[in-house]
């Protein structure tokens, strides 16, 4: 965590560099492959979020409900789009629902979805979400097992009418070997493709260290943090 308010020119340079690389990577896939950038603000000062908004960035992600809430409060004057991207504890579900995030990217079990459905029904609200897949089968990571992902996705779609499932999310394998990282992205992308008929439109993969690779594997939403705030 840096205590660093970056000046506008610095943030402009960082943002431009990331956007150019996204652009190059997506055009290598196809001119029709559009990629959305969600800026992950968890490491940075709230002032930098406001500056990024001035530079044209609208979608921001946080991995903790509490921090999401304080930032939504502090920046309530700006028409920002907020994404919850972190592991969600059951006792935070009500707080999260009250914040009406644009997208909860981290539904990581059927159990969590069912619990969320109950709370959504009680409040008469709906929520858009992604199913998180642990495509590298890493113990340290949240997400459903790739072998069960399609089933769980369909079960959530059937049993949770208040949750609008829009696709899948993965964190790339946490290793140096690019081939293994690529495999993990391909695993998630294959599941995404198999869920197209179930309404999946978002394949969220790629962070600062691997977003170009993720795009080449079919990601259409990248979550970039540290590359913007150095
Ligand atoms: C922190 C985080 C990111 C961004 O990570 P960087 O490597 O800083 O770009 C993306 N996705 C999730 C789920 C995160 O927790």
């Amino acid at each position: 965590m840096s205590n660093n308010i970056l000046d506008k020119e610095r943030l402009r340079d960082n943002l431009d560099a990331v956007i150019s690389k996204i652009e190059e990577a997506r055009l290598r896939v196809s001119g029709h492959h559009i990629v959305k950038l969600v800026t992950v603000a968890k490491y940075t000062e709230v002032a930098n979020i406001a500056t990024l908004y001035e530079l044209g960035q609208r979608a921001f992600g946080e991995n903790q409900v509490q921090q999401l809430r304080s930032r939504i409060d502090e920046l309530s004057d700006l028409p920002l789009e907020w994404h919850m991207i972190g592991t969600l504890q059951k006792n935070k579900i009500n707080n999260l629902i009250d914040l009406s995030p644009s997208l909860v990217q981290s539904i990581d079990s059927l159990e969590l979805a069912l619990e969320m459905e109950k709370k959504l029904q009680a409040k008469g609200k709906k929520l858009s979400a992604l199913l998180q897949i642990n495509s590298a089968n890493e113990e340290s990571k949240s997400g459903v097992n790739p072998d069960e992902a399609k089933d769980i996705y369909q079960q959530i779609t059937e049993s949770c009418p208040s949750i609008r499932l829009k696709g899948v999310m993965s964190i790339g394998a946490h290793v140096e070997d690019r081939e293994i990282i690529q495999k993990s992205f391909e695993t998630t992308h294959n599941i995404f493709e198999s869920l197209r008929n179930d309404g999946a439109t978002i394949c969220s993969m790629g962070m600062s260290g691997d977003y170009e690779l993720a795009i080449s594997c079919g990601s259409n939403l990248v979550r970039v943090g540290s590359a913007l705030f150095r």
Side-chain angles (χ1 to χ4, degrees), residues 7-230:
D7 67 41
K8 193 169 183 173
E9 288 323 304
R10 173 86 168 268
L11 280 170
R12 189 197 304 275
D13 288 347
N14 290 347
L15 182 61
D16 284 354
V18 168
I19 289 174
S20 319
K21 285 186 194 159
I22 290 173
E23 191 62 11
E24 284 167 26
R26 80 162 186 95
L27 287 173
R28 282 194 291 269
V29 177
S30 149
H32 299 289
H33 188 70
I34 307 297
V35 176
K36 180 179 176 115
L37 169 62
V38 174
T39 312
V40 178
K42 68 186 187 213
Y43 308 115
T44 200
E45 299 293 311
V46 75
N48 293 335
I49 301 177
T51 307
L52 281 171
Y53 172 73
E54 288 171 23
L55 293 168
Q57 179 60 21
R58 182 182 291 271
F60 294 87
E62 289 290 342
N63 68 342
Q64 285 178 10
V65 175
Q66 216 160 331
Q67 186 155 338
L68 184 62
R69 175 157 62 184
S70 71
R71 289 179 162 199
I72 289 177
D73 280 351
E74 284 179 80
L75 296 165
S76 60
D77 289 349
L78 305 180
L80 304 180
E81 181 187 310
W82 290 100
H83 294 237
M84 171 63 184
I85 61 171
T87 304
L88 184 57
Q89 290 155 296
K90 288 224 183 76
N91 62 358
K92 302 280 170 65
I93 294 176
N94 269 325
N95 290 342
L96 181 65
I97 293 172
D98 291 343
L99 296 174
S100 302
S102 294
L103 188 65
V104 177
Q105 298 203 9
S106 42
I107 300 282
D108 58 11
S109 68
L110 177 61
E111 207 189 352
L112 179 68
L114 292 170
E115 193 66 28
M116 189 173 272
E117 175 65 25
K118 248 192 264 167
K119 307 250 153 95
L120 283 165
Q121 282 189 14
K123 291 174 185 283
K125 292 188 81 169
K126 308 247 188 230
L127 201 67
S128 295
L130 305 179
L131 180 65
Q132 183 171 354
I133 301 170
N134 187 358
S135 53
N137 283 311
E138 289 168 312
E139 249 174 57
S140 59
K141 277 198 197 119
S142 306
V144 301
N145 187 308
D147 297 336
E148 299 169 341
K150 188 169 180 178
D151 267 3
I152 294 176
Y153 193 98
Q154 290 171 332
Q155 285 180 58
I156 294 174
T157 304
E158 279 163 25
S159 48
C160 303
S162 309
I163 298 177
R164 301 192 183 99
L165 264 193
K166 301 210 154 162
V168 295
M169 182 273 245
S170 269
I171 297 172
H174 189 68
V175 293
E176 293 289 319
D177 188 338
R178 305 293 282 183
E179 274 180 38
I180 294 176
I181 301 172
Q182 182 172 336
K183 274 242 162 62
S184 68
F185 288 148
E186 286 167 353
T187 297
T188 297
H189 186 255
N190 286 339
I191 296 165
F192 169 67
E193 285 295 340
S194 79
L195 289 166
R196 290 278 199 168
N197 288 338
D198 298 280
T201 58
I202 300 175
C203 181
S204 171
M205 318 188 286
M207 320 198 329
S208 291
D210 55 22
Y211 63 92
E212 293 163 275
L213 179 61
I215 292 168
S216 75
C217 297
S219 165
N220 62 13
L221 186 157
V222 294
R223 310 173 308 268
V224 178
S226 44
L228 291 162
F229 304 113
R230 39 189 172 230

